[in-house]
Each structure stands twice: as structure tokens, then as C-alpha cells.
Amino acid sequence: RIYKYQAHGYAFSSLEELLRSLGGEAFVNMTQRSVAESLLEVGVTQRFVDDVIAAVLRSSYGQSVLVPAFAGAMSLAGAQGSTWAVEGGNKLVCSGLLKLTKANVIPARVTGISLHSSEGRALYQVHYESTEGQGSAFYDMVVVTTPLHPSRSNFTFDNFDPPIADFPAAFQPSVTSVVHGYLNSSYFGFPDPKLFPFTSILTTDTPELFFHAMDNICPVNISAAFRRKQPQEAAVWRVLSRQPLDKQQLKTLFRSYYSVQVSEWPTYPRYDAAKALPPVVLHENLFYLSGVEWVASSMEMVAVAAKNVALLAYNRWHQELEKIDQKDLMHKVKTEL
């Protein structure tokens, strides 16, 4: 539904309104209760939740079945076989969009946003630091696309009344270890590595386990001659964990290895720390994009939120208020068609 609404220019001033337009109060409620509770209510067994749902959530969000139902449903959708990636890496989505829009990119780090006024209209001064020093520029509209949490953003909002504060929440630390080596199939119950049949390994919510998931990964650019490594051959494995793997843990998973590359960053919201959904509108023409991650975190959700903010900014600027927070949109869209 959201793609139809956006194609007709409709926008929403809050995440709650966006969710209501798609699935009513049921979708809003899915951000307030756990995926385990929701699935058990519709007849999914506790064993299936513990053995399958938990494994999927650990491999995607690195969290338990206590995440909200909407985020959990998004994670489960991503576990199906119809997902895809961009050849050359998903980062090409961003660079491709920048090129298509002919955006004027200023390579600098934003340090603050201060509020001014011009002829009764809000004007925003964006302060930034670059390799050439400090600078600033004035804008009629600003979209903040970094999470407004103390651990993620360190820029300030000045001259706003009431002040714009950080949102009380946290992010989940995640460690990705890319290991080129020989899998220790014996650890997984296969003494003969030639008989190991899996390319992905998921885990249940067990306290003594030191990793969330691991999978045999392929290059992002696949040649015609490419073939996946056999189980007894050295292959490239991605291991997801909450803490960096120590040497003993690496020796547990691999008989031997050539190299290990580690990336650690706060990947996803820690959903058990969220109290409410963040706002979309911070000020008159100051918008916040990243709050959608607290509904569910994925590239598609962020793309939907980005288009919503663009349409919302456009509709507010041109006073097309009939395009904002409209009820019964399915009927309206059918009428327009």
C-alpha cells in the first residue's frame, strides 16, 4: 500500500500515522509488543519460536524474540529466499541515487544546527567541519538522517524552543568477522568435512554460545567461472557475534585460517530500550528520518521513510495539506485511479 500512496503524493507527519494508513491500530500495536507474544497468540508453538524465530532474529538483529512484532516480522521476511543484493555491493544504491539526483554533496561532518528566521519563516544554519576547516550554510529545510542518540550523533541544536533533545534509547553492538579458513565441521557434528551440507549456520538463544550466526559468503561480483567452495576447502565465512572473537573461539570454529577481518559498529536499535517511536517533524521544516529504524530497521524501511519525508516537506512547503495524514487512503487512491 505505501508505494501506491507515495506514487499519488501522500505523506504522513508521524510514524504512527504511516503505520495506521497501512494496517490500522494493529500495526501500531506491533511496535509495542514482542514478536514472541504475537506469534504465540496466533497459534505458533513455543518450540517453533525458540528453535526457528529466535535463530532468525539472532542472525539479523542479533537480538531475542522479545523484539517488537513489527521488527520481528521484517526480520522473518528477510529470511525467505526471495531477497536480493546489488551486484558490486548495496552501497551502490546510495552512490547511484546521488548521481541521478545531481546532488551537491559537501564532504564534511555536521557539528550543529541553529534556528534563525527570515521574513517570519524558519531558517536553519547548518554548521560543519571539513578538511578545509569550519563552515556553515543556511537552508529552508533540513532532514536529519543520523540517529539522534548520544552514542551515535554528537552535533547540537541551538536556539530551538522547546529544545530538541536526544531520544532515550540505545544501539545494539554487532561484530562481523570475515574469516578465510577451513571450517571445523567436527564442532557441528560432522567429523568428515566432505559430508558437511550447510552454507549457513544459525543459533538458538543459548547463553554459552559466543556467536549468533555464520555463513559461507560469495563475492559481490560473481564471474561465470565462479563455484562455491567444497566443505573441505578453505572458504570465506562471515561470523556474526556480539563481542569480537578471541583466538580460542576462532580455533573452535575453524581448523585453521589464513586471515580474519573484523568490523564492529552499533548496527541496529536495541529494541528493548525503546519507550516510544521518535517524531518525524522536529520543527517547522526540520525533519527526522532515522526514527523509522525503531519501527523496523532495513534498507527498504529507510527508503520508504526517506520518500515520506520528501513528500511531507514538499506538501507542507506548498500548503498541500490534503496530501498529509489523510484517512481512508485506499478508497481515495482507487477513486483517483
Side-chain angles (χ1 to χ4, degrees):
R1 290 184 180 182
I2 188 62
Y3 298 111
K4 280 188 179 179
Y5 298 163
Q6 291 183 337
H8 286 261
Y10 289 104
F12 307 94
S13 62
S14 71
L15 295 171
E16 288 87 353
E17 284 299 318
L18 188 151
L19 289 171
R20 286 190 187 98
S21 75
L22 303 180
E25 288 300 324
F27 271 24
V28 178
N29 291 338
M30 286 178 72
T31 68
Q32 306 297 324
R33 55 208 305 258
S34 74
V35 64
E37 183 183 356
S38 298
L39 290 174
L40 290 171
E41 276 191 6
V42 296
V44 176
T45 65
Q46 184 68 57
R47 183 175 180 183
F48 191 84
V49 169
D50 292 341
D51 289 356
V52 178
I53 308 300
V56 171
L57 286 167
R58 282 169 63 84
S59 68
S60 55
Y61 287 144
Q63 297 175 63
S64 74
V65 292
L66 297 180
V67 304
F70 200 98
M74 176 67 69
S75 178
L76 295 174
Q80 300 179 69
S82 57
T83 54
W84 49 268
V86 175
E87 186 175 356
N90 288 341
K91 64 182 180 180
L92 295 181
V93 172
C94 302
S95 59
L97 287 171
L98 285 174
K99 185 176 180 180
L100 282 170
T101 56
K102 299 180 175 62
N104 175 33
V105 180
I106 300 173
R109 185 182 67 84
V110 174
T111 58
I113 301 171
S114 54
L115 175 62
H116 301 267
S117 63
S118 174
E119 300 177 353
R121 189 188 291 271
L123 202 60
Y124 305 100
Q125 185 177 13
V126 178
H127 305 269
Y128 55 85
E129 290 179 349
S130 68
T131 54
E132 299 174 358
Q134 296 184 342
S136 69
F138 286 91
Y139 297 93
D140 295 308
M141 298 180 186
V142 173
V143 179
V144 178
T145 61
T146 186
L148 291 177
H149 304 281
S151 64
R152 294 296 299 271
S153 61
N154 56 359
F155 61 85
T156 58
F157 293 97
D158 298 316
N159 302 333
F160 289 89
D161 185 21
I164 298 172
D166 290 325
F167 301 113
F171 271 72
Q172 176 75 25
S174 179
V175 178
T176 300
S177 303
V178 178
V179 184
H180 180 206
Y182 295 88
L183 184 72
N184 180 16
S185 58
S186 295
Y187 176 69
F188 301 101
F190 290 84
D192 186 349
K194 292 180 181 179
L195 300 179
F196 188 80
F198 308 114
T199 56
S200 295
I201 302 164
L202 308 184
T203 64
T204 55
D205 200 359
T206 308
E208 61 267 21
L209 278 175
F210 56 87
F211 72 100
H212 292 147
M214 59 188 296
D215 56 332
N216 184 330
I217 58 177
C218 302
V220 290
N221 295 306
I222 299 179
S223 65
F226 174 79
R227 67 172 183 84
R228 189 182 287 274
K229 298 290 185 181
Q230 295 300 306
Q232 70 274 18
E233 297 178 298
V236 179
W237 289 82
R238 177 180 58 180
V239 185
L240 305 177
S241 58
R242 182 169 293 193
Q243 303 291 339
L245 302 177
D246 59 34
K247 287 188 177 180
Q248 184 56 50
Q249 290 167 337
L250 285 168
K251 289 174 71 174
T252 300
L253 297 176
F254 298 92
R255 288 182 288 132
S256 63
Y257 52 89
Y258 296 107
S259 64
V260 181
Q261 296 181 32
V262 180
S263 296
E264 182 176 2
W265 76 100
T267 318
Y268 295 113
R270 210 180 75 214
Y271 287 105
D272 60 2
K275 304 302 179 186
L277 297 178
V280 172
V281 182
L282 299 177
H283 192 258
E284 185 178 323
N285 288 308
L286 176 62
F287 305 96
Y288 181 42
L289 175 60
S290 297
V292 74
E293 284 198 277
W294 299 94
V295 177
S297 185
S298 73
M299 288 182 67
E300 184 176 12
M301 287 294 290
V302 173
V304 165
K307 188 160 187 177
N308 178 64
V309 163
L311 291 169
L312 179 63
Y314 179 92
N315 293 338
R316 285 167 67 105
W317 185 265
H318 293 284
Q319 291 296 300
E320 296 186 9
L321 303 184
E322 74 282 357
K323 291 284 190 177
I324 301 174
D325 294 337
Q326 283 293 318
K327 310 298 182 188
D328 193 23
L329 265 184
M330 276 306 290
H331 177 73
K332 284 185 171 65
V333 167
K334 287 177 181 177
T335 303
E336 290 180 22
L337 288 172

